[in-house]
Coordinates of all heavy atoms in Angstrom, one line a residue:
Chain T
A77 N -0.4 4.7 20.8 CA -1.8 4.5 21.4 C -1.8 3.5 22.5 O -2.5 3.7 23.5 CB -2.7 4.0 20.2
S159 N -13.0 -17.7 14.5 CA -11.9 -18.7 14.4 C -10.5 -18.1 14.6 O -9.7 -18.7 15.3 CB -11.9 -19.4 13.1 OG -13.0 -20.2 12.9
E235 N -35.3 3.6 23.1 CA -36.5 4.1 22.3 C -36.0 4.1 20.9 O -35.0 4.7 20.5 CB -36.8 5.5 22.7 CG -38.1 6.0 22.1 CD -38.5 7.4 22.5 OE1 -38.4 7.7 23.7 OE2 -38.8 8.2 21.6

Side-chain angles (χ1 to χ4, degrees):
Chain T
S159 294
E235 189 178 316

